[in-house]
Amino acid sequence: MSHHLDSPLARQDVRLDITDLYVFRGEIGTVFAFNVCHSIAGDIPEPGFHPEGKYEVNLGVEPALTYRFTFAERDGDGRQRFSVHGVRGGSDHGGHGLAEGTTDEVVHTADGSRVWAGRAGDPFWIEPDVLHAVGHAFQDGTTVDLSGWNPEGAHNLFAGHSVYSVVMEVPDVELLAHTGGRRDIHVWARASLATDAGGWRSVNRIGLPMIHPLFTQFDEDLGDRLNLGHPQDDPDVFGEVVVAKIAGVVRAYGTAADPDAYARSVARRFLPNALPYRVGTPASFGFAEWNGRALTDNAPNVMFTIAANSPVSLGIGKESVTSKPVGTFPHLPKP
């Protein structure tokens, strides 16, 4: 799973469980999209977005700009009013109001941006047997054991499932005005819940895909801890853990003369955990480079293979998604 049901804290309320983050070139600018509330969790009383939560797309490892989304309670038709604010410097308060609208409707802003939120089909795919074998390998320091698996029987665990998505497209000229003209940005998203004391509790944090499936499937305490804090602290807080897990698998494969050195080079790519993107360019999350993430990029194959330093394939690809992404805004497939 890219980030689906990734920790005990996230599973307490899947409305705050960010399953995936995408950043790619749209029709008029840069598209930021994230998904929550996956239907694989089963029926919940009030699906959608948490009315006591906030959802943030952050630009910068130490955020220079945050797009903050908040939602009202569901009405009788299941729709939710929402608002979007632009916040400088990652502040928990204030910000400039950018848009207000209702789920399932496209909202246009004064600066030319557009926003949509609502239920969509999940564009992501994963093969459950490969997923679990990868989790065991990085927990136990072994090779990825697929000896009993038949690729001809590979299937997409998420086929036919739905998510609740937030999609925002920002014109390049507007985005570059906020970044000081810098085209290279690093993006991460966070979902937080309001506390009784008036603050916020971070529930879920995502940057690169597949970090949790690699390292936390069988280490739930690490899963919870990875969802806290900020990306700039990741190398110091999680660097040695990630190095040890990668080195164990690479050592088992025997694919590097110095497994620890290889693991450190990969850890420098993985941490800080934020998704790099060059504004104005086609997104591609591949082996050669990470430049945003398109809705059809095969993130599992890329991340599993790089971390293991050995080919790991799911046996399926974008063809296994039952509802396909589209080329026009809001791009997410219909549920």
Side-chain angles (χ1 to χ4, degrees):
M1 293 174 279
S2 183
H3 221 259
H4 303 60
L5 309 177
D6 58 65
S7 69
L9 186 59
R11 291 194 295 271
Q12 288 179 15
D13 195 320
V14 295
R15 294 176 295 178
L16 296 164
D17 177 26
I18 306 176
T19 64
D20 284 286
L21 170 67
Y22 301 94
V23 181
F24 55 92
R25 181 71 183 164
E27 299 165 279
I28 62 171
T30 300
V31 176
F32 305 97
F34 64 87
N35 300 332
V36 298
C37 198
H38 201 280
S39 63
I40 201 169
D43 293 333
I44 64 172
E46 297 286 338
F49 304 95
H50 201 304
E52 297 179 17
K54 66 176 180 179
Y55 303 84
E56 298 171 318
V57 173
N58 299 284
L59 278 60
V61 172
E62 298 184 44
L65 175 65
T66 296
Y67 293 112
R68 180 170 296 151
F69 305 82
T70 55
F71 292 82
E73 299 276 359
R74 285 161 53 96
D75 64 17
D77 296 323
R79 303 202 305 169
Q80 293 178 264
R81 293 286 299 171
F82 67 85
S83 62
V84 188
H85 285 76
V87 183
R88 290 285 187 180
S91 171
D92 282 337
H93 305 286
H96 175 63
L98 299 176
E100 292 186 350
T102 303
T103 51
D104 299 321
E105 297 178 357
V106 176
V107 177
H108 296 268
T109 70
D111 65 12
S113 298
R114 48 188 174 177
V115 185
W116 178 89
R119 184 167 171 261
D122 188 356
F124 182 68
W125 62 91
I126 198 70
E127 211 297 320
D129 291 333
V130 176
L131 169 72
H132 295 140
V134 167
H136 278 296
F138 282 89
Q139 181 66 19
D140 303 331
T142 63
T143 60
V144 179
D145 183 7
L146 293 170
S147 56
W149 177 65
N150 182 359
E152 294 182 0
H155 68 283
N156 179 7
L157 179 64
F158 298 141
H161 276 284
S162 64
V163 291
Y164 281 80
S165 301
V166 173
V167 186
M168 182 174 185
E169 184 171 11
V170 183
D172 289 344
V173 63
E174 182 67 23
L175 188 58
L176 291 171
H178 291 302
T179 65
R182 293 186 298 275
R183 291 188 175 272
D184 293 311
I185 59 176
H186 289 79
V187 185
W188 54 285
R190 177 170 57 186
S192 304
L193 184 64
T195 67
D196 293 337
W200 295 93
R201 181 189 189 193
S202 178
V203 174
N204 213 237
R205 174 163 68 93
I206 183 173
L208 296 171
M210 313 311 298
I211 293 293
H212 281 257
L214 279 166
F215 305 123
T216 74
Q217 285 189 60
F218 305 101
D219 189 346
E220 292 197 324
D221 174 67
L222 177 60
D224 270 344
R225 290 191 291 116
L226 278 169
N227 280 321
L228 305 176
H230 296 82
Q232 66 262 32
D233 300 320
D234 287 343
D236 290 337
V237 177
F238 302 112
E240 291 306 313
V241 173
V242 168
V243 167
K245 288 178 178 286
I246 293 173
V249 173
V250 174
R251 187 172 291 110
Y253 274 112
T255 52
D258 188 337
D260 292 296
Y262 178 83
R264 292 189 185 282
S265 70
V266 174
R268 285 193 293 270
R269 293 187 71 183
F270 284 4
L271 304 175
N273 184 11
L275 184 62
Y277 178 65
R278 185 169 181 80
V279 174
T281 65
S284 176
F285 193 88
F287 292 102
E289 67 169 354
W290 298 339
N291 185 46
R293 181 186 174 195
L295 294 169
T296 55
D297 282 340
N298 196 336
N301 277 18
V302 170
M303 291 291 278
F304 292 169
T305 297
I306 289 174
N309 200 28
S310 188
V312 180
S313 174
L314 298 181
I316 55 173
K318 61 183 180 181
E319 78 288 341
S320 66
V321 175
T322 48
S323 187
K324 311 298 185 184
V326 297
T328 56
F329 190 85
H331 301 286
L332 270 291
K334 294 182 178 180

